[in-house]
Amino acid sequence: MLADIWVLMVERGWALALLRGSAVTIAIGLLGMSLGFIVATPLAVLRWQKILVVSQLIDVYSIVVRGVPGLLVIYLLFFGSVDMVKSIATTFGYQDQVDSAYPYIVGVIAIAAISCAYSIEVIRGALQSVPSGLLEAAKSLALPTRITFSRVTFPLALRLALGGINNVWQMTIKDTSLISVVGLQELMRTAAIGAGITRSPLLFYCIAAALFFCMTAVSQTLFSKAERALNRGFGGR
C-alpha cells in the first residue's frame, strides 16, 4: 500500500504537481487578499465617515458580494468579461497571451472582490471601536485631523482589526478552491485531475485537505504571534 502511494506520488510526479498547485493557491490568495485590502481600506474609511450617497453605495457593494456565493461572483466576472477581453486582445495581437493569463487575472480579481467586501466591514468595525478617549486626547493636543487619523486612529484600528483580517484570510485561502472552474490549476484543480487520471480520489482529496489544513494552521500561528506582539501593553496582555 505504502509502496503504491510512493510510486504514485513521487515516481509519477504527483507530489510535485500538488505542491505546485499549493503554490498557486497561496499566490492567488496573497495577491487577491492584498488587492482587496488595499481597495477596502479607503472604502471602509469613507463608509465609517458616513458620507452621503458614497457610504450607501459602498454598503450595497459589501452586502451584495457577501450575500451571494463566491462561485457566482467568479462566474459573473469570468463569463461577463471574457468575450470583451478576448476581442480587445485579438485587435492588438495578444490573443495567445490572454488565453494563458486570463484565468490567473480573473482568479485574482474575483478573490480580491470577495475579500474586499468582507475587509470593508472588518476595518469599519475596527475604526468604530477605537476608544473615543484617545481621540479626545489627540484633539486636546491640537493635532490636525489628518495627523490624528494617520498616527492614532488608523494604527489602533489595524490592531483591533487583525483578528477579523485573519478570518478573512482563512476564508480567502479556502475560496481559492472555487477558481478551478475557470481552468486555473490550483490545489483543488490539480487534486481533481490526479484523482481522475489515477482513479484514486480518496488519496488525492485527503492530501489536498491536509495541504489546506497546513496552510491555514501556519497562517493562524503567524496571525496569533502578530496579535500578541501588537497587543503587548494593552489590557495587561
Side-chain angles (χ1 to χ4, degrees), residues 156-173:
L156 287 172
L158 282 181
R159 181 182 68 83
L160 296 171
L162 193 58
I165 294 172
N166 179 20
N167 292 334
V168 175
W169 166 249
Q170 302 284 6
M171 179 198 68
T172 298
I173 279 290

Side-chain angles (χ1 to χ4, degrees), residues 66-216:
R66 288 185 293 120
V68 300
L71 185 60
L72 182 57
V73 175
I74 295 170
Y75 277 140
L76 289 173
L77 286 173
F78 184 78
F79 294 108
S81 61
V82 62
D83 292 335
M84 180 185 67
V85 171
K86 284 188 175 182
S87 64
I88 295 173
T90 302
T91 302
F92 291 96
Y94 291 102
Q95 183 175 357
D96 294 337
Q97 291 85 338
V98 168
D99 288 340
S100 60
Y102 191 66
Y104 291 91
I105 297 171
V106 170
V108 171
I109 294 175
I111 293 299
I114 297 169
S115 66
C116 177
Y118 287 91
S119 296
I120 287 172
E121 294 304 309
V122 170
I123 298 171
R124 180 194 61 81
L127 288 168
Q128 289 182 337
S129 299
V130 173
S132 58
L134 294 175
L135 302 181
E136 291 172 1
K139 288 182 181 179
S140 69
L141 295 173
L143 292 177
T145 303
R146 181 175 59 83
I147 298 298
T148 299
F149 180 80
S150 61
R151 298 294 181 86
V152 179
T153 307
F154 193 65
L156 287 172
L158 282 181
R159 181 182 68 83
L160 296 171
L162 193 58
I165 294 172
N166 179 20
N167 292 334
V168 175
W169 166 249
Q170 302 284 6
M171 179 198 68
T172 298
I173 279 290
K174 290 180 285 187
D175 279 349
T176 57
S177 63
L178 301 175
I179 61 177
S180 61
V181 298
V182 300
L184 188 62
Q185 289 196 21
E186 40 67 66
L187 177 55
M188 276 303 298
R189 177 68 174 171
T190 304
I193 293 172
I197 292 176
T198 64
R199 307 287 184 179
S200 303
L202 181 61
L203 173 63
F204 275 85
Y205 289 132
C206 283
I207 293 174
L211 289 171
F212 270 112
F213 180 77
C214 289
M215 293 179 208
T216 55

Side-chain angles (χ1 to χ4, degrees), residues 9-45:
M9 289 292 111
V10 178
E11 295 186 8
R12 295 181 61 181
W14 283 110
L16 183 59
L18 289 169
L19 289 176
R20 283 199 298 263
S22 300
V24 173
T25 290
I26 295 172
I28 295 295
L30 283 173
L31 288 172
M33 177 76 178
S34 299
L35 179 59
F37 187 79
I38 291 171
V39 175
T41 299
L43 295 180
V45 173

